[in-house]
Amino acid sequence: DRKREALAAGSLIQPVIKDVGEIYSRLLDHRPVIQGEIRYFVKEFEEKRGLRELRVLENLKNTIFETNEHVLLKCEQQMHDNLNEAFRRLQAASAMIHRLQEREHEERKLQADKLMAREEKRVAHWEEFMKEQQNKQAEVDEEHRKAMERLREQYSEMEKELAKYVSF
């Protein structure tokens, strides 16, 4: 009997276990849903975006190829021409600046020479002036000495004459 009861109870529990399994798989097992979503996403991406992405990549490849073949060569040639022109202008400017510096150097040298000549002339005039002053001083000193000599003689004569009158 027990076996029968166990079998009868087992047969009653089986539908419950089956229902619990279905509830579990629907509520808690998300793998089938996620796998379905992944399949849908891959399918949509491959069908809709795949061709568009291929076209975009093909356009990019063509643009890069055209840039490398044509635009890059034009840019390189233009840059080369512009750099040559800039280099030529810089050389011309450098030559002009060099000439200006040489002129300025020559002008400064000329001014320095003129200044030196003026300084030498001034020194010569000063020396001449000082000699002239010494000569004039010597003349004045000589005149003063002569005048003093005359005055001494005059005073000595006046003393002699005064001495004649003092004897009275």
Side-chain angles (χ1 to χ4, degrees), residues 15-27 29:
V16 171
I17 292 175
K18 186 177 176 185
D19 287 342
V20 168
E22 279 183 36
I23 292 172
Y24 170 79
S25 67
R26 286 187 180 178
L27 293 178
D29 189 14

Side-chain angles (χ1 to χ4, degrees), residues 64-86:
I64 289 171
F65 179 75
E66 182 180 328
T67 301
N68 284 339
E69 292 297 316
H70 303 290
V71 176
L72 188 62
L73 291 175
K74 287 179 185 177
C75 288
E76 185 178 327
Q77 184 62 37
Q78 189 72 23
M79 183 177 65
H80 189 280
D81 293 344
N82 288 341
L83 284 176
N84 283 339
E85 177 68 19

Side-chain angles (χ1 to χ4, degrees), residues 144-160:
H144 184 266
R145 189 187 60 74
K146 286 181 183 178
M148 289 291 289
E149 190 65 34
R150 274 184 277 152
L151 283 175
R152 263 190 220 128
E153 287 176 12
Q154 186 181 358
Y155 281 123
S156 96
E157 283 180 27
M158 286 171 82
E159 274 182 19
K160 287 180 188 177

Side-chain angles (χ1 to χ4, degrees), residues 121-136:
K121 191 175 180 180
R122 188 192 60 76
V123 167
H125 281 146
W126 181 254
E127 288 176 0
E128 185 181 325
F129 174 76
M130 290 306 289
K131 284 180 184 177
E132 195 176 302
Q133 290 302 314
Q134 287 174 354
N135 290 340
K136 286 182 180 179

Side-chain angles (χ1 to χ4, degrees), residues 25-65:
S25 67
R26 286 187 180 178
L27 293 178
L28 301 174
D29 189 14
H30 301 294
R31 282 179 283 163
V33 174
I34 291 174
Q35 288 174 352
E37 287 295 320
I38 290 172
R39 279 190 223 109
Y40 176 76
F41 177 78
V42 169
K43 180 181 170 189
E44 287 293 315
F45 185 80
E46 286 176 350
E47 288 177 1
K48 293 182 180 175
R49 290 201 45 120
L51 297 177
R52 187 174 2 142
E53 296 297 323
L54 276 176
R55 275 186 252 123
V56 168
L57 289 174
E58 189 67 31
N59 288 340
L60 283 173
K61 183 182 102 178
N62 291 337
T63 304
I64 289 171
F65 179 75

